[in-house]
Structure formats: structure tokens, C-alpha cells
Amino acid sequence: MNRIDTSELAAWLDQTLQPGRFRDYCPNGLQVEGKASIGHIIAGVTASEALLRAAIARGADAVLVHHGWFWKNEDPRVRGTRRTRLALALAHDLNLFAYHLPLDAHPLLGNNAQLARVLGLQPDTDSTGAPRTCGADGLVWLGSAPGIQTFGQLAARVQERLHRAPQAIGDPERPIRRIAWCTGGAQGMLTEAVDAGADAYITGEISEPTVHLARETGVGFLAAGHHATERYGAQALGAAIAAQFNIRVDFVDIDNPV
């Protein structure tokens, strides 16, 4: 099995995802340093204890996730679940790579791009071929859904492709022409989607004010699940790593109903 230097992989990931472009809530990149070389990576959505134990059981050298550790404004003390996770990583010399907003936004490997692929959405693009976006750091993508005519049809496609029923706010008969989407917890960007002329907005989560804003603007809102909408970026990034460096990358999906 081929192996690469941990520093080489870290440099390639930073060059590919360009974390310096984003005002994020956590450090992006190599969050915990482990073995000096890597031949096997476990990719997943969140660096939970369950994912770490899966990596250890499979003899992996690194974990690659979207949701890592050390979030802004959280308690920095190393105790409880934080101690357990960190102890596992250190005891087994696991590298932990985590990319949050950079993995949402990447035009090919990111969560938004991959959700579009899974749902059959067609992103709008500019003259350079880059996706048209709105919102902070250009995180909300804009486009259409070929073959979809109504909000009800869009909700049905989301349920079919993501294998879970989304929470839908809006008139099922509303005509759909323009769609906005941002994976994960992006309900707070509904206003930007409305201002961009969207007829429907897809994200992962919903909160109480979101319902009123969707009803009062008439824009259809789909909360399709934070985890469900963000399963695909880590998979695509892992596949890109495997192709680039000829090392083993396995995606492990730790089920999460939220």
C-alpha cells in the first residue's frame, strides 16, 4: 500500500480547499497531528467518538471530516466527551483533518456541488464557469432543477434522493423556477436566497423564525437534514485524495437523524 507524508497531504488539501478565503468558526486543516505518513484514511461527516473508533478498528492513519473540533465560543477545557475523543486520537497516533466552510464551498468537491449532483440540480454559472452564489463567503448556490415544476415535486425528489422526508414549508403547488441551496445549518441565509429571487431554498436545518420568513415571502423551504445534506463532500474529497496519491480512503457514514 502506498504511503505519503502527512505534511504533503496537508499542503495539498490547503491548496485545494483554500481555507484562508473563509471567515470560519473553527480551524481548518490538520487539527490533530498523528503519524508522519499516511496510507489509509477514514472519511466521514463528523469527528465523533464512533467515527474515531471505526478508524482505529480499521487500522487507519488519519480521519478526514467536515465537522472537526475546537469550535469558536465552545468550552476549551479538555474533559468529558472532548477528553475521550482527543485521548483516542492521541493514543492511536491518528491525524485529524477537518474542513468546514471550505468543504461546503468548493466548486467541484464541496457539499453544495455534491448535493447538486445527488439532487439533479443545475447550478447557474458565470462567464468563467464558476457557480453563481449569494450570502456570506458565497456559500449559497443558485440554480434550477430540470424536470421539476412545483415545490411539491422538489420535496419529493429530495426525499427520494436523500432517503429521508424533508420538513417542507410552503405551497406544494408553487411553481419552481429558481432554487437556492446551502448544506448544513444555513437556515439563517434564507433572506439572501429570497433577495436573489429564489422560489425555493434547500438547506439542512430549520429554526422557528425560518418558518415565518418562508410563509411571509412565499419561498418554499426544505430542511433536508444537516447530516443528510453533508454526506457527499467528504466522500468526493476522499475519492480525490485516493486518485491523487494512490492511497486507501474509505467513507464511513455514522447515521445521524438530524
Side-chain angles (χ1 to χ4, degrees):
M1 182 172 60
N2 192 39
R3 298 186 72 85
I4 60 168
D5 289 346
T6 298
S7 59
E8 182 182 0
L9 176 58
W12 183 86
L13 284 167
D14 283 347
Q15 181 180 18
T16 300
L17 297 175
Q18 300 180 21
R21 293 178 45 225
F22 300 89
R23 302 185 300 273
D24 215 334
Y25 320 106
C26 60
N28 289 291
L30 181 60
Q31 291 190 335
V32 176
E33 184 178 1
K35 296 172 185 174
S37 67
I38 295 171
H40 184 194
I41 298 173
I42 292 297
V45 177
T46 298
S48 63
E49 180 183 341
L51 187 69
L52 293 175
R53 292 194 182 279
I56 292 164
R58 297 177 185 218
D61 307 302
V63 173
L64 171 71
V65 296
H66 178 50
H67 300 136
W69 300 340
F70 315 116
W71 297 92
K72 183 179 180 181
N73 296 328
E74 73 177 2
D75 187 344
R77 291 174 292 181
V78 180
R79 62 182 192 175
T81 57
R82 174 182 286 213
R83 179 190 182 281
T84 300
R85 293 177 180 183
L86 190 56
L88 284 170
L90 295 175
H92 295 273
D93 218 10
L94 281 175
N95 292 282
L96 173 61
F97 293 93
Y99 288 89
H100 186 229
L101 297 184
L103 186 56
D104 287 321
H106 192 276
L108 297 176
L109 305 175
N111 285 319
N112 283 335
Q114 292 299 310
L115 184 66
R117 176 186 62 80
V118 172
L119 296 182
L121 306 178
Q122 180 63 54
D124 292 341
T125 56
D126 62 20
S127 59
T128 70
R132 291 193 180 277
T133 64
C134 65
D137 289 321
L139 290 171
V140 178
W141 283 36
L142 302 167
S144 59
I148 295 295
Q149 296 181 327
T150 67
F151 180 59
Q153 291 174 349
L154 180 63
R157 178 180 288 186
V158 169
Q159 179 171 350
E160 174 194 1
R161 302 285 177 89
L162 298 188
H163 309 294
R164 56 168 291 159
Q167 192 161 2
I169 307 298
D171 180 3
E173 300 303 317
R174 176 183 172 86
I176 297 297
R177 291 173 295 276
R178 197 171 205 204
I179 297 173
W181 66 94
C182 184
T183 65
Q187 64 269 39
M189 295 185 183
L190 176 57
T191 297
E192 286 85 345
V194 172
D195 292 343
D199 302 302
Y201 181 54
I202 304 171
T203 187
E205 297 185 13
I206 190 168
S207 55
E208 196 272 346
T210 311
V211 176
H212 302 293
L213 181 58
R215 287 172 176 170
E216 291 167 17
T217 60
V219 172
F221 185 93
L222 290 174
H226 196 133
H227 180 86
T229 58
E230 294 192 330
R231 284 183 297 213
Y232 307 104
Q235 292 183 57
L237 183 58
I241 292 170
Q244 178 72 21
F245 296 104
N246 190 30
I247 62 175
R248 179 180 172 185
V249 182
D250 298 322
F251 180 80
V252 175
D253 190 14
I254 304 297
D255 184 54
N256 188 329
V258 174

